Amino acid sequence: MLIAGNWKMFKGPAETLAFFDAFDAPEGVDVVVCPPFVSLEAAVGEEWPVYAQNVHWAADGAFTGETSAAMLVELGVQGSLVGHSERRLFFGETDDTVQRRAEAALASGLKVIACVGETEAEREAGEMEAVLRRQVAVLPRHACLVIAYEPVWAIGTGKTATPEMAEEAHGLIKSLHDTRVLYGGSVKPENAADLLSQPSIDGALVGGASLDAASFSSLCRIAASLS
Ligand code: 13P
């Protein structure tokens, strides 16, 4: 079981260190934390694997605001998210750039959590399967790539997919790509056991509930108890 915390644009270096002072996860669960770029250096000094939230495909170059895989490796970062729906929605991320970012990261020795998921409009239009097929098709087949299924309508909304809905989507993704699949979208200690006990759910990508050390510790304990 893998529990990854995506802090999004929360926690500078001081808050990052304060989080780790209070965070405590048991044996038996893989834990990853994805802080903002400015807090990566503080986080890699701690005992948990640290991933970036994004990575560029070029080794270096005139790409203002971007960071290469080699730079992350130099810092001690172990992996990166790619294709989060917020990047697709607000920053022009496409399936093509998701593919390029994932391939470059893996080639540099980073692990990757690649995010896929349909919007509410796509689900209502009956397009969930087509969207997931399209998004998964571009992802490299690689032992160090994990997929996170994050239905966009469940992110930060408090609306969680039911365990059955998540299981159905995970089953489809696993039929397309032989990898671990994490669920993301309003995961919290109260709903984690129902979701994580589904056979095709291999962990969680957690936003809001990963910001609080006590609730993230509690999620990790729940995952460990189900492993
Ligand atoms: P929430 O857990 O806040 O819904 O965020 C999910 C997410 O986007 C994780 O990447």
Side-chain angles (χ1 to χ4, degrees):
M1 199 80 82
L2 170 61
I3 302 294
N6 173 14
W7 288 357
K8 308 192 179 187
M9 200 171 73
F10 293 96
K11 295 193 191 296
E15 282 186 71
T16 295
L17 293 175
F19 172 91
F20 284 109
D21 277 346
F23 177 61
D24 182 34
E27 298 285 309
V29 57
D30 295 328
V31 178
V32 161
V33 179
C34 312
F37 278 94
V38 292
S39 299
L40 288 172
E41 190 165 12
V44 295
E46 303 292 327
E47 67 182 286
W48 311 98
V50 174
Y51 285 22
Q53 296 175 14
N54 191 24
V55 56
H56 198 263
W57 53 83
D60 48 28
F63 298 107
T64 301
E66 293 282 337
T67 303
S68 74
M71 292 168 185
L72 294 172
V73 170
E74 182 181 347
L75 200 61
V77 171
Q78 294 189 20
S80 183
L81 303 180
V82 300
H84 192 279
S85 63
E86 288 150 15
R87 299 226 44 96
R88 295 179 192 254
L89 190 62
F90 303 130
F91 301 101
E93 196 77 69
T94 63
D95 291 331
D96 176 54
T97 56
V98 170
Q99 178 176 27
R100 294 165 78 179
R101 291 182 198 280
E103 284 173 351
L106 292 164
S108 298
L110 290 178
K111 295 176 181 159
V112 167
I113 299 176
C115 306
V116 300
E118 80 286 359
T119 64
E120 189 153 39
E122 288 164 341
R123 176 171 275 264
E124 282 171 1
E127 293 167 1
M128 179 192 91
E129 180 170 338
V131 169
L132 293 181
R133 283 184 181 276
R134 194 193 74 224
Q135 292 178 343
V136 171
V138 301
L139 301 178
R141 273 53 188 164
H142 192 290
C144 293
L145 182 135
V146 168
I147 295 176
Y149 170 61
E150 299 205 309
V152 178
W153 47 271
I155 295 178
T157 58
K159 282 195 225 169
T160 318
T162 63
E164 295 72 25
M165 286 158 88
E167 177 64 17
E168 184 194 355
H170 283 226
L172 171 66
I173 293 166
K174 280 175 179 279
S175 75
L176 302 170
H177 198 306
D178 181 22
T179 186
R180 290 201 279 180
V181 182
L182 315 180
Y183 172 77
S186 299
V187 176
K188 40 188 178 288
E190 296 76 36
N191 60 22
D194 282 347
L195 288 160
L196 295 175
S197 52
Q198 296 297 311
S200 301
I201 299 185
D202 304 309
L205 180 56
V206 185
S210 72
L211 294 171
D212 176 65
S215 79
F216 198 51
S217 303
S218 159
L219 279 171
C220 293
R221 279 195 298 276
I222 292 165
S225 74
L226 294 168
S227 296

